[in-house]
Amino acid sequence: MAFNAKSIYDSDFGVFVLLGNIAPPLPGSVDYAISAAWMIRGALLLGTILFVADLSQSNRWLLRLWYVIGLVGGSIAFLGLLQKATGAQMIFWQPPPPPEVWVSTFFSTYYYHGNAGAFLNVVWPLSAGLVIRAFTSRSHPGMRAISVTLFIVTIAGVLANTSRMALVVAVILLVAICAQFGRALLRNLSGAQKGVAFAGALAILLALIAVAQAAHLEQPLNRWQAGREQFPGDARWRASRVAMRALPGAGVFGFGPGTFRVVFPAYNIRSANQVEGTWRFLHEDYLQTLLEWGWLGASLWGLLFFGGITVGIRSYKKYARLQWMPRRRVLQPLVIIALIGVALHAVVDFPLQIESIQLYVATYLGLCWGSSLWHERFS
């Protein structure tokens, strides 16, 4: 599709300039530049999956990767909380942009709060896993303190973020993690330890409330209250209806990787449900993937994503109890839960179109696909 592109989009004049492609009768992208750039990124993401699948065979590097994910997630959340607490008007406390391009929902390094929330939901389950590992193994007290601090900061970032869907997904992830690890943790604790754990959980809750208040928790609460009126007329639903009418034109091979931003305006202008503004991404990852990659390409991406989750679940059930080390038994369910969370978020937003989130998803998929070989190391 990229090499056989039929045109390239001229954004200044809003027209498609025809190209002399290699095989005119065969399908080709509607924009060579965008599709070629996306294919380079896609190749790097596939390489990341293979690299992590191989790296995960090492116990030492698996643990290092886990710690790095927790540290990066905590740093991103800390920056966002600091912005909220100081009343920053733009990322890195830059001067605010002109009113016509005002970005009021930024958080940390993300211009759109939904992407920030999706990123935090990808990383905080692994931060919770570091806490679980720290208190179920003979860890140094300093490592326990660092793990708890990272978890508090990261989950506070989710609470302070103004994305409603991110908070809903976070609650679902929390319930899933409690269902997976709660019973085993309580069973392994003595009576005195349970009291200490309850006091620690209460202290963490109070710390979260204090941090969230300092970070202006009332902002996400106000969005929840306003959401009842905004939900029925949300522009993303009208944009999805426009995209649905464009779906037959995508066919088996789609319009080309990454070309939604240049295809959508043409269909939007002719639609009865026309939406205002510039739409670089559709707030529905699966529908956008169908438009860009067609039924064939979308099926292959779905096989890679959901197939990785399936392989991870199968490997965990088959080998975890007898052949995996404790760190693998803790990490793998959390990776699967985080992937399911981003899959749910993708229904109403576009986290899978953002490069940083794609990198983490590719890393987690590498862990899932690589887990099918973990038993060979310990058999």
Side-chain angles (χ1 to χ4, degrees):
M1 292 291 291
F3 284 115
N4 195 45
K6 298 180 180 296
S7 60
I8 188 168
Y9 185 71
D10 189 330
S11 58
D12 292 332
F13 295 96
V15 296
F16 291 91
V17 181
L18 297 180
L19 298 176
N21 55 341
I22 301 172
L26 299 179
S29 171
V30 299
D31 190 299
Y32 169 76
I34 294 178
S35 294
W38 215 114
M39 292 307 297
I40 294 174
R41 188 204 310 178
L44 293 173
L45 291 173
L46 293 175
T48 299
I49 294 174
L50 295 174
F51 173 74
V52 174
D54 182 66
L55 187 72
S56 67
Q57 307 307 312
S58 166
N59 288 316
R60 178 179 298 178
W61 281 103
L62 181 69
L63 188 59
R64 289 175 177 175
L65 180 64
W66 192 354
Y67 279 123
V68 167
I69 292 173
L71 287 170
V72 174
S75 66
I76 295 294
F78 179 75
L79 175 60
L81 292 172
L82 201 59
Q83 291 169 341
K84 292 281 188 179
T86 58
Q89 295 181 316
M90 183 46 67
I91 298 174
F92 298 122
W93 293 268
Q94 297 169 338
E100 61 269 15
V101 292
W102 174 248
V103 181
S104 60
T105 61
F106 72 93
F107 185 87
S108 192
T109 56
Y110 291 87
Y111 286 103
Y112 176 51
H113 59 180
N115 294 333
F119 173 82
L120 293 175
N121 282 333
V122 167
V123 296
W124 82 256
L126 270 67
S127 297
L130 290 175
V131 176
I132 294 172
R133 183 178 184 275
F135 285 91
T136 55
S137 62
R138 296 181 178 179
S139 298
H140 190 275
M143 293 304 300
R144 291 185 178 183
I146 293 174
S147 299
V148 172
T149 302
L150 287 174
F151 174 70
I152 291 176
V153 171
T154 310
I155 200 69
V158 177
L159 294 175
N161 187 28
T162 54
S163 172
R164 295 185 291 264
M165 186 60 185
L167 186 57
V168 170
V169 172
V171 172
I172 295 173
L173 298 184
L174 182 61
V175 172
I177 292 173
C178 291
Q180 175 66 30
F181 295 100
R183 184 179 301 176
L185 289 174
L186 291 175
R187 187 169 56 246
N188 293 332
L189 294 177
S190 63
Q193 290 175 326
K194 289 180 180 178
V196 173
F198 177 77
L202 184 60
I204 290 175
L205 179 61
L206 293 175
L208 285 175
I209 294 174
V211 172
Q213 286 182 342
H216 299 286
L217 182 62
E218 72 278 359
Q219 293 179 359
L221 292 178
N222 292 337
R223 279 188 55 83
W224 275 103
Q225 294 175 356
R228 298 177 181 177
E229 300 176 359
Q230 298 173 354
F231 185 82
D234 197 315
R236 72 184 68 189
W237 312 130
R238 288 185 285 132
S240 294
R241 286 196 289 269
V242 175
M244 285 294 294
R245 290 187 174 88
L247 193 57
V252 177
F253 298 98
F255 292 108
T259 57
F260 170 81
R261 68 185 68 178
V262 299
V263 170
F264 182 79
Y267 284 91
N268 186 35
I269 292 175
R270 300 195 299 265
S271 174
N273 298 308
Q274 185 175 350
V275 289
E276 299 179 354
T278 301
W279 291 74
R280 295 188 62 206
F281 307 105
L282 184 66
H283 285 255
E284 219 282 32
D285 263 330
Y286 303 106
L287 183 53
Q288 180 173 339
T289 303
L290 282 172
L291 289 174
E292 295 180 349
W293 295 83
W295 293 101
L296 178 60
S299 298
L300 294 175
W301 281 116
L303 179 63
L304 179 68
F305 184 86
F306 294 104
I309 295 176
T310 303
V311 168
I313 295 173
R314 179 179 176 275
S315 300
Y316 179 80
K317 289 184 176 181
K318 190 173 182 180
Y319 306 115
R321 185 179 297 274
L322 300 177
Q323 300 181 6
W324 284 6
M325 294 185 67
R327 67 187 60 173
R328 297 182 185 272
R329 290 199 295 269
V330 173
L331 177 62
Q332 187 70 358
L334 296 172
V335 167
I336 294 170
I337 289 171
L339 286 174
I340 293 175
V342 76
L344 291 175
H345 201 140
V347 175
V348 296
D349 263 323
F350 48 93
L352 296 177
Q353 308 295 331
I354 305 303
E355 289 89 340
S356 58
I357 301 176
Q358 288 174 343
L359 176 62
Y360 280 76
V361 169
T363 300
Y364 290 6
L365 288 176
L367 294 173
C368 287
W369 285 104
S371 66
S372 62
L373 301 176
W374 288 353
H375 67 284
E376 296 181 359
R377 300 287 299 223
F378 312 106
S379 57

